[in-house]
Amino acid sequence: MVAKNRKQSGKSPATQTDRDKSPLVSPPGKSNARRPGREGKAFNSSHPNGLSGIRHKLGLTPAAAVKLGITLLLAALSGYLHWHHLSQLFENDRHFSHLSNLEKEMAFRTEMGLYYSYYKTIIEAPSFLDGLHMIMNDRLTEYPLVINTLKRFNLYPEVVLASWYRMYTGVMGYFGIPTKMCWSINRGEGLTPVDSCEGMGDPAYFYVTFVFLLNGAMMSLFFIYGAYLSGSRLGGVVTAMCFFFNHGESTRVMWTPPLRESFAYPFLVLQMLLLTYILRTRNPSRMAMVALGVSNLCFMLPWQFAQFVLLTQVASLFASYILGYLGAAKMQSILVTHMNTLFVCFILMFGNSMLLTSFYASSLVSIWAIIALRDRFAQVFKPGIVTWVMQCLAWVGSTVLLKFMLSTVLCASDDAHISALIKSKFTSYKDFHTLMYTCAAEFDFIELETPVRYLKTLLLPINMLVVALIAGRTIQDVVRFLRDGGKTDDVDETAGSEIVGKGELVYHSLQLVAFAVLAVLIMRLKLFLTPHMCIMASLICSKQLFGWIGEKVKHQIVVFAVLAIMAIQGVANLQAQWAIIGEFSNLPQEELLDWIQDNTRPDSVFAGAMPTMASVKLSTGRPIVNHPHYEDAGLRERTKLVYSMYSRMSGETVKRNLMKLGVDFFVLEDSWCTRRTRPGCSMPEIWDIEDPQNVGKTPLCTHMSRNSRPHFTTVFSNDIYKVLKVPKAAKDLR
């Protein structure tokens, strides 16, 4: 076997030993005199520099500086371990380093392949600007429409990574430094050998490496977050350990690197850490608010669903404000920061109307107005529960009203499916588009096994205990407030550090409840709940909540005992992940893509199942009419027309639908005709909701799998795929 590990030379950072050898401070018995012209180099209290200067600027004592250094070192170690863990799981699952370029692309299934295709477009273009122009004027994704995919699909991560890749390969090429190692892989079973490359010069390897590095850095942030929230480095250890012990419930980046959450979520962790700092600080600086806005922007730009998460954050902050734990001035400052971020994001997304018509945007405006009118509320309503209820009703009513007014004015309906999806969770309502979501396991209600897994690692009991303690103290404060007749002062002006400290705990508890509601409704969103539970678990190290346990040593013994019990199931979970050994192979799809590449014209238009269309676009560059990014109203209607192939309609009707879209070839998959995740969720059954007059008839896809004539002609078939050609006469009618 050829050795695969390649080391690149570079300057190593100075070690502590090197620093100790640096003659910055005179040893005992030596003169402190300096040579002429070197006075400015001396260490003294008025002109500190180096590590001591940094410590002086931060206002840290030597002991505090050492503690900070240890914390950062442990954070870096946890980040490295998470990066290594993710990389190994991904490699073990797919044997990615031994895949050909085509196999690597096929490994990015469904919307992952769609996102990666734009990264590929930019790096293969004559220049970066040419590639950027191509994805901003794209005619391949929704043929024959020309769309700005950067606006539609949140592709800033691909733009950034493609620019870095081009710079990296350009610089390495200029200096003649090899960036990848390639070899021939014998796949056996009569299959042709393939060339496989590994190294940062390989586009797919470069892409996933940076995704895993970003999520490794996220774990470092988690450690710092847990330590800061709990006031103890041990809290950071608890957070990191909980994350690893519940890794399968906390993230899926190791299986799906190109998904938007892989790029966005690390910045949410940073944003919430900064928000915690702001809530804890009596008078946060402008720099802190700017940092909050930047992290907010970095979270929103890569992911279209970020607005729903931020809505829960704003709602949790508003509840903290109502209860008196967050002052009006600070709350308004946070709201203004969110508004500014939303405006900047709206500009960078080329005026994406979905941002302005979101519940998040409307909520920001309504909460700001309610706070601005707080004196009027105090005059009309007696301070206490009535005022709180009226403020909540005003927030809900004005948010919903403003959202639908903006949607009507801007004629925006892209997020209408979200309202329908929520409606379907609480009523018997269902239509084609909601069933396309709810029939997928990740959009169903949370599975019952998930709380059981939380229970086995003690994550759920610890969180219940922490939240119960915070809720108990909050109830005491509320009762005291009501007993005193509703008299209170602005927290930002006169409240003590105790109330400020309680405020951040109340916010985190409310945020946990909000994430829990999201996870219960949509299982995919447990990826927000589980990490936040890990953060909340750090509070078992908090003296503020658990000081009653006793002195520091006794408290730490209890925490280590809890970690030991957690590790029983946690280590078993990790071993189960490490035991996943696989090798990616999809020969039927490889045959399909090779046939398309060799037997169709570059401008031939394809339609079919959304995941397959992403692969067709990525690996063959052929135009497609539908794809997996289902958040656009027009695309949803296009997909509905394409999926009429899996309905009980007549072949003539379906052919007209494909003619209407200008399709040359339809990729038929028998599994989509028969697959049924649960009763009512096969494609023919989903169509029965939309097309009740044809209920009971044999699905068209069943007829097509037997004989595609007279409406279509079969031009390719294997065990999984069948390519149907739309008749020439039909194409001429376009």
Side-chain angles (χ1 to χ4, degrees):
M1 174 62 70
V2 181
K4 301 179 198 171
N5 297 326
R6 298 179 61 86
K7 295 184 179 179
Q8 297 184 2
S9 60
K11 293 184 179 180
S12 300
T15 63
Q16 185 61 45
T17 303
D18 295 330
R19 296 189 186 99
D20 292 341
K21 294 178 180 178
S22 181
L24 296 177
V25 181
S26 298
K30 295 284 184 178
S31 170
N32 284 329
R34 304 289 179 182
R35 287 177 291 178
R38 298 295 296 274
E39 289 80 0
K41 298 289 184 179
F43 259 39
N44 55 57
S45 59
S46 58
H47 297 288
N49 57 15
L51 293 178
S52 181
I54 295 174
R55 176 178 62 79
H56 180 79
K57 290 180 179 179
L58 293 176
L60 300 175
T61 63
V66 170
K67 290 181 179 179
L68 176 61
I70 294 174
T71 301
L72 295 178
L73 183 63
L74 291 174
L77 176 62
S78 63
Y80 169 78
L81 291 175
H82 193 230
W83 164 77
H84 181 74
H85 183 62
L86 294 174
S87 301
Q88 285 301 116
L89 290 178
F90 184 71
E91 173 64 21
N92 291 346
D93 181 55
R94 289 173 171 79
H95 211 186
F96 197 71
S97 60
H98 286 66
L99 300 181
S100 67
N101 287 337
L102 177 59
E103 288 173 322
K104 288 176 181 176
E105 291 176 355
M106 288 192 299
F108 297 140
R109 285 187 51 76
T110 190
E111 59 186 296
M112 293 188 290
L114 182 69
Y115 299 135
Y116 183 81
S117 70
Y118 302 108
Y119 165 79
K120 180 181 177 182
T121 296
I122 297 176
I123 64 175
E124 292 184 349
S127 70
F128 172 75
L129 291 179
D130 287 337
L132 192 61
H133 180 268
M134 290 168 69
I135 70 168
M136 292 175 64
N137 298 271
D138 180 275
R139 199 184 178 191
L140 300 179
T141 308
E142 293 181 11
Y143 181 89
L145 303 179
V146 177
I147 63 173
N148 182 350
T149 59
L150 187 57
K151 172 183 177 180
R152 282 276 300 278
F153 305 144
N154 301 76
L155 296 177
Y156 277 98
E158 280 66 32
V159 172
V160 172
L161 286 180
S163 66
W164 289 356
Y165 177 82
R166 294 185 70 109
M167 287 189 289
Y168 171 76
T169 54
V171 171
M172 294 296 105
Y174 178 80
F175 289 105
I177 301 174
T179 59
K180 60 182 176 180
M181 183 182 297
C182 299
W183 54 88
S184 181
I185 300 295
N186 186 355
R187 298 189 290 175
E189 300 179 6
L191 301 174
T192 57
V194 295
D195 291 332
S196 177
C197 296
E198 184 179 10
M200 295 296 282
D202 180 72
Y205 195 93
F206 184 93
Y207 186 96
V208 299
T209 295
F210 272 96
V211 173
F212 294 149
L213 284 173
L214 177 61
N215 283 267
M218 179 196 72
M219 181 55 68
S220 296
L221 286 174
F222 264 119
F223 185 94
I224 295 171
Y225 195 168
Y228 183 71
L229 182 64
S230 65
S232 167
R233 280 193 301 276
L234 190 55
V237 173
V238 170
T239 296
M241 296 285 278
C242 285
F243 195 97
F244 276 106
F245 290 162
N246 298 273
H247 199 266
E249 307 295 321
S250 300
T251 182
R252 55 178 183 169
V253 65
M254 60 283 191
W255 316 131
T256 57
L259 289 186
R260 301 300 81 189
E261 66 210 42
S262 302
F263 295 100
Y265 186 70
F267 291 103
L268 176 63
V269 178
L270 175 61
Q271 191 257 16
M272 293 181 68
L273 173 59
L274 291 169
L275 180 61
T276 303
Y277 166 78
I278 290 170
L279 293 177
R280 181 176 293 185
T281 306
R282 191 75 61 81
N283 296 303
S285 64
R286 182 185 298 271
M287 184 62 68
M289 287 298 179
V290 171
L292 179 68
V294 171
S295 60
N296 216 9
L297 181 65
C298 292
F299 174 53
M300 293 182 68
L301 277 178
W303 201 19
Q304 68 273 18
F305 288 131
Q307 53 177 295
F308 300 105
V309 178
L310 293 177
L311 172 63
T312 67
Q313 182 179 96
V314 171
S316 301
L317 289 170
F318 183 53
S320 300
Y321 159 77
I322 288 177
L323 293 174
Y325 290 103
L326 182 57
K330 185 181 289 186
M331 182 67 190
Q332 285 184 313
S333 296
I334 294 173
L335 289 174
V336 169
T337 302
H338 274 268
M339 290 177 182
N340 291 336
T341 300
L342 182 64
F343 179 71
V344 173
C345 188
F346 177 74
I347 294 174
L348 292 177
M349 292 299 293
F350 304 92
N352 191 326
S353 61
M354 194 171 173
L355 292 171
L356 292 187
T357 59
S358 64
F359 283 106
Y360 167 58
S362 301
S363 184
L364 290 175
V365 175
S366 61
I367 292 176
W368 191 91
I370 290 170
I371 295 175
L373 296 172
R374 61 188 181 279
D375 293 336
R376 186 63 58 86
F377 275 93
Q379 293 173 1
V380 176
F381 304 105
K382 182 180 179 180
I385 295 178
V386 175
T387 301
W388 297 344
V389 171
M390 295 309 299
Q391 286 178 319
C392 289
L393 291 176
W395 167 58
V396 173
S398 58
T399 297
V400 172
L401 180 62
L402 184 58
K403 184 261 188 296
F404 286 107
M405 284 177 57
L406 288 172
S407 297
T408 302
V409 171
L410 298 177
C411 300
S413 59
D414 290 342
D415 61 350
H417 64 301
I418 300 296
S419 301
L421 179 60
I422 295 173
K423 182 180 177 181
S424 71
K425 295 288 183 178
F426 298 101
T427 68
S428 60
Y429 175 81
K430 53 186 175 181
D431 61 20
F432 180 86
H433 300 303
T434 59
L435 287 172
M436 289 294 290
Y437 277 104
T438 57
C439 283
E442 59 266 30
F443 286 96
D444 199 0
F445 290 102
I446 194 169
E447 56 187 0
L448 294 177
E449 291 82 359
T450 299
V452 175
R453 296 188 192 108
Y454 292 154
L455 195 61
K456 289 181 178 179
T457 58
L458 296 189
L459 189 61
L460 182 58
I462 289 174
N463 272 262
M464 292 177 67
L465 176 60
V466 168
V467 172
L469 288 174
I470 296 173
R473 296 190 177 190
T474 303
I475 292 172
Q476 290 177 357
D477 290 339
V478 170
V479 171
R480 189 181 305 115
F481 171 81
L482 296 175
R483 189 175 59 241
D484 294 341
K487 296 180 180 179
T488 187
D489 297 319
D490 193 327
V491 174
D492 283 337
E493 301 295 333
T494 62
S497 58
E498 182 181 356
I499 295 297
V500 175
K502 286 183 181 179
E504 70 185 58
L505 297 182
V506 169
Y507 157 70
H508 279 88
S509 298
L510 292 169
Q511 185 69 76
L512 179 67
V513 172
F515 283 157
V517 171
L518 290 179
V520 168
L521 293 177
I522 300 176
M523 186 181 69
R524 178 180 180 179
L525 299 183
K526 71 180 179 181
L527 301 176
F528 293 108
L529 172 63
T530 312
H532 198 68
M533 291 175 74
C534 298
I535 289 292
M536 295 294 287
S538 71
L539 290 173
I540 65 172
C541 303
S542 170
K543 293 180 181 178
Q544 185 179 358
L545 287 179
F546 290 89
W548 48 268
I549 291 178
E551 58 188 20
K552 182 177 180 181
V553 174
K554 187 177 180 181
H555 190 178
Q556 290 179 342
I557 291 174
V558 171
V559 172
F560 280 115
V562 171
L563 284 174
I565 299 173
M566 285 177 135
I568 296 173
Q569 182 62 41
V571 172
N573 291 343
L574 287 173
Q575 289 175 337
Q577 282 193 319
W578 295 333
I580 297 174
I581 303 295
E583 184 168 4
F584 179 83
S585 179
N586 191 342
L587 293 177
Q589 188 174 89
E590 187 175 340
E591 292 174 358
L592 169 69
L593 297 175
D594 285 339
W595 181 87
I596 292 174
Q597 193 82 304
D598 297 336
N599 296 278
T600 63
R601 297 184 335 202
D603 61 349
S604 297
V605 183
F606 282 79
M610 292 184 285
T612 305
M613 289 303 98
S615 296
V616 169
K617 180 190 179 301
L618 168 60
S619 299
T620 70
R622 300 301 191 264
I624 57 177
V625 298
N626 65 311
H627 54 77
H629 198 276
Y630 209 60
E631 277 68 53
D632 178 74
L635 187 277
R636 290 196 292 272
E637 293 309 312
R638 281 170 157 257
T639 299
K640 190 174 178 181
L641 288 176
V642 170
Y643 279 21
S644 61
M645 179 66 76
Y646 300 103
S647 71
R648 306 179 196 275
M649 298 179 185
S650 67
E652 187 63 31
T653 301
V654 173
K655 184 173 75 172
R656 284 200 302 269
N657 288 341
L658 298 178
M659 290 163 47
K660 182 178 178 181
L661 296 171
V663 174
D664 293 316
F665 298 96
F666 185 94
V667 180
L668 179 69
E669 300 176 52
D670 288 341
S671 60
W672 280 72
C673 196
T674 57
R675 183 173 55 193
R676 191 186 195 209
T677 55
R678 65 171 186 269
C681 279
S682 68
M683 284 304 304
E685 288 174 319
I686 291 175
W687 265 107
D688 288 343
I689 302 298
E690 294 286 325
D691 186 30
Q693 62 267 29
N694 286 316
V695 172
K697 295 182 179 178
T698 303
L700 177 63
C701 51
T702 302
H703 291 301
M704 292 296 104
S705 63
R706 298 169 184 163
N707 183 6
S708 59
R709 293 187 179 277
H711 305 291
F712 306 97
T713 304
T714 301
V715 292
F716 169 85
S717 66
N718 60 23
D719 294 339
I720 303 297
Y721 302 99
K722 178 179 286 189
V723 179
L724 308 180
K725 185 176 182 359
V726 178
K728 180 71 174 175
K731 183 179 177 182
D732 293 340
L733 292 174
R734 279 190 264 167

